[in-house]
């Protein structure tokens, strides 16, 4: 289960996305709009839609489940000086917006360095780059940046991560649709009830309402080829910013 709460940029402030990932059946996803104080369920057929107008799709925000894919080793290759396994990931689940993915898995970290996404026509659609990895608690590798490039539109979205914290005492009850509003209050408390942030949160819901009609923090983005090696994960908290170009 993953819950992402945005406080920047201003037009996204207070909006949150909750994902319950499943292996073969469609993931459960909800979108919380602070201006409406309302949680909306995202239909499975909209998982391939753009997330808040970015180059990420809702599908890209799901946690990695081993059974979601069939895996095929392609070759060994160096990428930016890193020894990698190049693996093809074929979706086992319905409603995917991709026919396949090609992933470069770092042999030392067993974390992704790059993923190529091919659309349903088999055309290379997007590439995600994972950069600036750091190790936490002596075992958890997390990227500091994820850059998604859309080869069809020429646009890109950069997601940056910092202030990772682990073992924060979070429980399953913190990752439910009913808890999404409480997550917003925690964000406000952390920012000292910043009036400017509060105004931005009230305004952000209208922008998300438009996006939702068109297409549809606690996040573990430790994507891996689990068929190669499964690394233990631990609940963590981190700050993140999103930038579109």
């Amino acid at each position: 289960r993953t819950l992402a709460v945005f406080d920047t940029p201003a037009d996204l402030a207070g909006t949150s996305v909750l994902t319950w990932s499943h292996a073969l059946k469609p993931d459960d996803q909800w979108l919380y709009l602070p201006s409406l104080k309302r949680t909306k369920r995202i239909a499975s057929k909209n998982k391939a839609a753009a997330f808040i107008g970015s180059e990420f799709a809702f599908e890209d925000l799901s946690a990695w489940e081993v059974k979601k894919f069939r895996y095929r080793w392609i070759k060994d290759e160096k990428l930016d000086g890193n020894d990698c396994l190049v693996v093809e990931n074929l979706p086992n689940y319905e409603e995917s917006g991709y026919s396949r993915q090609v992933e470069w898995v770092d042999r030392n970290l067993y974390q992704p360095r790059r993923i190529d996404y091919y659309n349903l026509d088999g055309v290379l659609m997007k590439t995600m780059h994972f950069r600036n990895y750091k190790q936490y608690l002596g075992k958890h590798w997390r990227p500091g940046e994820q850059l998604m490039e859309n080869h069809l539109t020429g646009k890109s979205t950069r997601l940056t991560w910092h202030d990772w914290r682990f073992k924060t005492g979070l429980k399953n009850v913190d990752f439910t649709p009913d808890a999404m509003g409480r997550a917003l209050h925690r964000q406000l408390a952390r920012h000292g009830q910043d009036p400017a942030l509060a105004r931005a949160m009230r305004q952000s819901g209208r922008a998300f309402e438009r996006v939702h009609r068109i297409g549809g923090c606690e996040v573990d983005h430790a994507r891996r080829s689990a068929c190669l090696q499964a690394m233990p994960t631990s609940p963590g908290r981190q700050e993140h910013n999103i930038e579109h170009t």
Side-chain angles (χ1 to χ4, degrees):
R1 297 184 180 186
T2 64
L3 174 61
V5 183
F6 292 86
D7 52 21
T8 58
D11 61 342
L12 306 184
T15 302
S16 59
V17 179
L18 172 66
T19 302
W20 291 2
S21 294
H22 307 293
L24 299 180
K25 68 177 185 178
D27 293 341
D28 296 305
Q29 286 185 306
W30 295 267
L31 183 69
Y32 178 76
L33 306 173
S35 66
L36 302 178
K37 296 182 179 179
R38 179 181 174 188
T39 300
K40 291 188 172 185
R41 191 182 184 94
I42 301 169
S44 60
K45 64 181 180 181
N46 289 328
K47 299 301 172 63
F51 173 64
I52 59 173
S54 72
E55 300 312 311
F56 286 89
F58 282 95
E59 180 178 356
D60 302 333
L61 303 179
S62 297
W64 196 275
E65 300 286 346
V66 177
K67 293 183 180 179
K68 279 181 178 286
F69 300 92
R70 303 185 306 278
Y71 305 92
R72 183 177 70 89
W73 173 84
I74 299 176
K75 60 182 177 180
D76 292 346
E77 184 175 81
K78 277 189 176 290
L79 180 66
D80 299 328
N82 302 295
D83 291 325
C84 293
L85 301 166
V86 184
V87 180
E88 181 182 56
N89 307 328
L90 299 173
N92 279 330
Y93 55 96
E94 298 180 356
E95 308 292 350
S96 176
Y98 309 117
S99 60
R100 68 188 184 109
Q101 304 172 9
V102 177
E103 180 176 7
W104 281 254
V105 184
D106 190 298
R107 273 185 170 275
N108 296 313
L109 309 185
Y110 281 94
Q111 298 289 338
R113 289 288 182 179
R114 167 180 164 180
I115 301 178
D116 285 350
Y117 299 86
Y118 291 80
N119 65 18
L120 297 180
D121 293 324
V123 176
L124 177 59
M125 180 181 180
K126 299 188 297 186
T127 296
M128 179 146 64
H129 303 274
F130 299 79
R131 297 168 177 162
N132 304 328
Y133 274 101
K134 290 185 179 180
Q135 190 180 49
Y136 299 87
L137 302 185
K139 56 182 178 180
H140 303 301
W141 289 95
R142 296 293 186 268
E145 175 184 299
Q146 291 174 247
L147 175 66
M148 182 71 87
E149 297 178 317
N150 190 317
H151 303 293
L152 304 183
T153 66
K155 297 181 180 180
S156 64
T157 298
R158 188 186 312 274
L159 187 62
T160 56
W161 305 84
H162 59 91
D163 191 26
W164 288 86
R165 283 172 282 165
F166 294 78
K167 298 183 178 180
T168 56
L170 292 166
K171 301 177 180 179
N172 282 342
V173 69
D174 297 311
F175 297 87
T176 63
D178 291 339
M180 297 178 78
R182 295 197 297 272
L184 168 60
H185 295 310
R186 288 198 297 268
Q187 285 292 87
L188 284 171
R190 289 180 58 219
H191 287 271
Q193 300 290 338
D194 186 326
L197 177 60
R199 285 195 299 273
M201 288 181 173
R202 288 193 296 270
Q203 295 169 358
S204 65
R206 292 189 288 275
F208 264 79
E209 183 73 17
R210 292 194 297 272
V211 172
H212 190 71
R213 281 200 296 265
I214 293 172
C217 164
E218 303 296 330
V219 177
D220 181 3
H221 276 284
R223 294 179 175 268
R224 62 188 67 81
S225 286
C227 61
L228 303 173
Q229 174 175 324
M231 292 182 62
T233 59
S234 173
R237 173 174 294 169
Q238 60 280 323
E239 307 251 345
H240 51 279
N241 299 308
I242 193 165
E243 168 190 334
H244 311 309
T245 57

